[in-house]
Amino acid sequence: MIKSKLARIYAAVISRKVYGWAHNPLATQEKVFRDLISQAKHTDFGKDHHFDEIATYDDFKSKVPVRDYEGLKDYIEQIKQGKKNVLWKDKPIYFAKTSGTTSGAKYIPITKESMPYQISAAKEALLLYIAETGNSNFVDGKMIFLQGSPEINKSNAIKTGRLSGIVAHYVPKYLQKNRLPTWETNCIDDWETKVDAIVKETVVEDMRLISGIPSWVQMYFEKLNKDQGKKVAEIFPNFSLFVYGGVNYEPYRQNMEDLIGKKVDSIELFPASEGFFAYQDRQKKNNMSEMGMLLLLNSGIFYEFIPADSFYADSPERISLKDVRLGINYVMIVSTNAGLWAYNIGDTIEFTSLKPYRIIVTGRIKHFISAFGEHVIGKEVEHSIQRALEGTNTKIKEFTVAPEVNPPKGKLPYHEWFIEFEQEPEDLEAFAIKIDLEMQRQNSYYFDLLQGKILRPLMITRVVKNGFDQYMRSVGKLGGQNKIPRLSNDRNIVDKLEVQVEKR
């Protein structure tokens, strides 16, 4: 009880602080920009790009081109060899290792300046929730964070590990007694073995907050149900808050609430190895401006944006926060106090509010379908399936979408939706039509292609039970922070899924 009372007092203080900078956004970002340039002037990168001549954002754009990991790789290699003052002053305290695609493993620097924000952002999200709702009871119970191994490789010149593992070393002491799973269980590599161990550890505890990527928390809930023969709310009657990130929760919500046995509040986070970018700051959403996550403007990160539909043009428009507009799909570019400069993180976002600046994640710039010029993005497929689920008993566990460009002779090509159902719709064809009509409503290019008989309506292919888990296991990405792409412009993923090819 003492903890929860103190938490409410602290939450009020933090809320005033957060909305102080949130309601003064442009000045906040200008200060971050100047601090970053000033502190990196004498680094190798700063000298190579004439930081001593940068006084304005236009100066910065003219001297620092947009890069992805490949564009910074030479600098990263120098850091890995022990060199100081390369991208940021001194050396990083960690490398967050992530799995890349074209680059293989990526090593993202984390510095003593950037690390505190990775911790404080998640804490702020919980405190803003307390400030708004008054619910602080969860701090008196146990909390679980489903994540990757906290083990860190210390044999290199710079300690290296997964972001979730690095963050685990910074959990405040006052939370350590409340936090599960145990260190030993968290270090288990095999995900299914790990989840079984977490079930045994938590089933006898007073779990009140549960956090993780929805698909893997869903697996944990399923194992709890099977082990105890009860809903999660019966096992954990005080469970009241679900914290998640990585993917949109809405396609999972109905199935998750069925597993839980009641509705619980949820908080969405937007953390990444490159920085902690945003968190949900509102539970009450009376209008569109209160949707989405508060963009963190005071966290050592300077933001730029490029309209996604022109990203691959020769000279795409590149803007700062003051010029963004609502309803535009942007690629987010960041410069950080970890030494990333005009860095393309690969995520696309859309602003839902400009006072304060709130965003939703719409997908990945590399995850799209445009085999026929339709420019379909993740937000559109997620919203369409969510709308189709409304008012039905249908439940899905996972899905992904790919184009079928080589249909049988005499047939038009189409988008193929691979869905693993927990509970199938009564009429699969009607369900597919609902999704397709919503896709047409959202995407005018897709509508035109159907009207012009270039495409035929989407087709649904059932994925066998646990088929997505089997696929993720086969590519070494079962559990942790890994997630299935919502859509692809090729069939590399879906061709490996174990499916029942039953199309209607």
Side-chain angles (χ1 to χ4, degrees):
M1 291 294 291
I2 295 176
K3 269 189 186 180
S4 61
K5 288 180 180 178
L6 290 174
R8 286 195 291 273
I9 296 170
Y10 187 35
V13 173
I14 294 300
S15 178
R16 286 193 293 272
K17 177 183 174 184
V18 168
Y19 289 114
W21 58 254
H23 292 297
N24 197 20
L26 301 184
T28 300
Q29 274 285 275
E30 178 66 19
K31 183 179 185 305
V32 169
F33 174 73
R34 294 188 180 282
D35 286 348
L36 291 174
I37 298 301
S38 174
Q39 293 191 63
K41 268 184 183 178
H42 303 297
T43 63
D44 289 350
F45 188 93
K47 292 173 184 176
D48 291 346
H49 295 80
H50 307 287
F51 274 24
D52 58 341
E53 299 173 11
I54 294 177
T56 66
Y57 173 53
D58 284 339
D59 293 339
F60 181 75
K61 285 196 291 185
S62 69
K63 297 181 186 301
V64 184
V66 171
R67 288 176 166 89
D68 57 13
Y69 185 78
E70 286 296 313
L72 284 181
K73 200 169 183 180
D74 288 345
Y75 291 100
I76 298 290
E77 289 302 318
Q78 292 178 50
I79 298 171
K80 287 168 71 175
Q81 291 166 18
K83 192 174 181 184
K84 295 182 178 181
N85 303 313
V86 178
L87 288 168
W88 189 253
K89 55 189 180 182
D90 205 2
K91 290 193 295 186
I93 54 175
Y94 296 101
F95 274 131
K97 186 179 180 181
T98 70
S99 54
T101 50
T102 57
S103 307
K106 296 193 286 190
Y107 295 83
I108 306 299
I110 296 177
T111 63
K112 64 181 181 181
E113 289 81 12
S114 68
M115 189 68 226
Y117 293 111
Q118 289 280 8
I119 308 304
S120 63
K123 181 177 71 173
E124 284 177 4
L126 294 177
L127 290 168
L128 290 184
Y129 169 80
I130 292 172
E132 181 188 5
T133 66
N135 175 23
S136 59
N137 294 334
F138 64 88
V139 305
D140 290 319
K142 293 294 177 77
M143 309 176 190
I144 186 171
F145 300 86
L146 290 176
Q147 59 189 46
S149 171
E151 291 184 313
I152 290 177
N153 184 342
K154 299 179 181 179
S155 62
N156 302 327
I158 295 171
K159 296 176 183 177
T160 302
R162 301 288 180 182
L163 176 64
S164 60
I166 293 169
V167 170
H169 291 261
Y170 288 81
V171 175
K173 287 185 178 179
Y174 65 86
L175 285 181
Q176 290 287 6
K177 290 182 180 179
N178 295 52
R179 190 177 190 272
L180 289 170
T182 61
W183 188 269
E184 293 73 22
T185 295
N186 235 354
C187 289
I188 297 173
D189 283 328
D190 181 75
W191 184 253
E192 289 174 294
T193 303
K194 181 173 183 172
V195 174
D196 287 336
I198 291 172
V199 167
K200 289 179 182 178
E201 282 188 358
T202 57
V203 73
V204 295
E205 300 287 354
D206 179 18
M207 304 303 306
R208 301 192 183 188
L209 181 152
I210 296 172
S211 175
I213 290 178
S215 52
W216 306 125
V217 174
Q218 183 173 257
M219 179 188 286
Y220 166 61
F221 286 168
E222 288 169 348
K223 287 182 178 286
L224 278 170
N225 285 177
K226 186 177 180 181
D227 182 73
Q228 297 294 302
K230 299 177 182 177
K231 301 281 189 182
V232 174
E234 296 177 80
I235 303 167
F236 306 135
N238 293 317
F239 170 42
S240 63
L241 185 59
F242 175 49
V243 182
Y244 69 94
V247 298
N248 183 2
Y249 180 42
E250 294 310 316
Y252 299 94
R253 186 182 292 275
Q254 189 168 349
N255 192 41
M256 290 277 276
E257 289 179 351
D258 184 60
L259 289 166
I260 296 167
K262 67 176 184 180
K263 293 185 176 183
V264 298
D265 287 344
S266 61
I267 301 175
E268 183 177 9
L269 308 178
F270 186 9
S273 299
E274 296 86 355
F276 204 123
F277 302 121
Y279 53 62
Q280 180 184 336
D281 67 313
R282 299 287 295 168
Q283 289 293 308
K284 297 174 183 176
K285 299 173 182 176
N286 299 317
N287 52 57
M288 188 63 183
S289 68
E290 295 180 332
M291 302 290 286
M293 296 175 283
L294 186 69
L295 188 64
L296 303 186
L297 307 176
N298 195 36
S299 299
I301 301 169
F302 178 73
Y303 298 92
E304 300 176 81
F305 306 91
I306 297 174
D309 60 5
S310 65
F311 182 74
Y312 292 108
D314 291 337
S315 298
E317 181 186 23
R318 180 177 166 190
I319 60 176
S320 63
L321 194 66
K322 72 180 180 67
D323 293 318
V324 300
R325 292 181 291 153
L326 297 176
I328 304 294
N329 195 36
Y330 292 108
V331 180
M332 194 163 80
I333 309 298
V334 299
S335 297
T336 77
N337 56 5
L340 301 177
W341 299 103
Y343 186 86
N344 172 21
I345 64 170
D347 287 304
T348 56
I349 62 94
E350 183 180 309
F351 285 89
T352 60
S353 168
L354 304 182
K355 293 181 179 180
Y357 287 92
R358 292 193 180 98
I359 62 170
I360 56 172
V361 179
T362 54
R364 300 277 294 169
I365 190 62
K366 292 183 178 179
H367 292 169
F368 60 89
I369 298 178
S370 199
F372 308 94
E374 59 270 50
H375 309 296
V376 170
I377 61 174
K379 173 196 170 189
E380 293 167 349
V381 299
E382 288 182 333
H383 182 77
S384 296
I385 201 165
Q386 179 187 335
R387 291 297 299 271
L389 289 169
E390 290 174 1
T392 75
N393 294 320
T394 305
K395 299 182 181 69
I396 65 163
K397 182 174 181 181
E398 194 58 273
F399 77 96
T400 193
V401 187
E404 176 52 86
V405 298
N406 295 307
K409 190 174 181 180
K411 298 284 188 180
L412 290 174
Y414 55 92
H415 288 182
E416 190 167 9
W417 289 57
F418 291 76
I419 304 176
E420 182 178 339
F421 290 101
E422 287 285 348
Q423 185 168 322
E424 290 195 13
E426 293 179 3
D427 186 333
L428 188 66
E429 186 174 349
F431 184 70
I433 290 171
K434 286 176 71 177
I435 297 174
D436 201 77
L437 289 174
E438 187 59 34
M439 281 296 304
Q440 293 180 53
R441 190 188 70 78
Q442 289 191 89
N443 188 306
S444 60
Y445 299 108
Y446 183 72
F447 173 83
D448 290 343
L449 288 167
L450 264 70
Q451 294 297 306
K453 306 298 182 186
I454 306 299
L455 292 178
R456 60 173 161 147
L458 66 86
M459 306 292 284
I460 292 177
T461 294
R462 296 180 180 89
V463 175
V464 296
K465 185 175 177 59
N466 298 321
F468 280 98
D469 289 350
Q470 292 165 18
Y471 165 75
M472 294 296 275
R473 186 186 297 108
S474 73
V475 295
K477 292 188 176 183
L478 183 67
Q481 303 303 299
N482 300 306
K483 45 200 178 279
I484 193 81
R486 281 288 176 245
L487 70 175
S488 308
N489 205 38
D490 55 44
R491 297 182 65 84
N492 292 339
I493 291 174
V494 299
D495 285 345
K496 294 177 183 175
L497 281 169
E498 294 186 20
V499 297
Q500 296 173 343
V501 184
E502 185 179 345
K503 303 173 185 178
R504 301 182 184 181

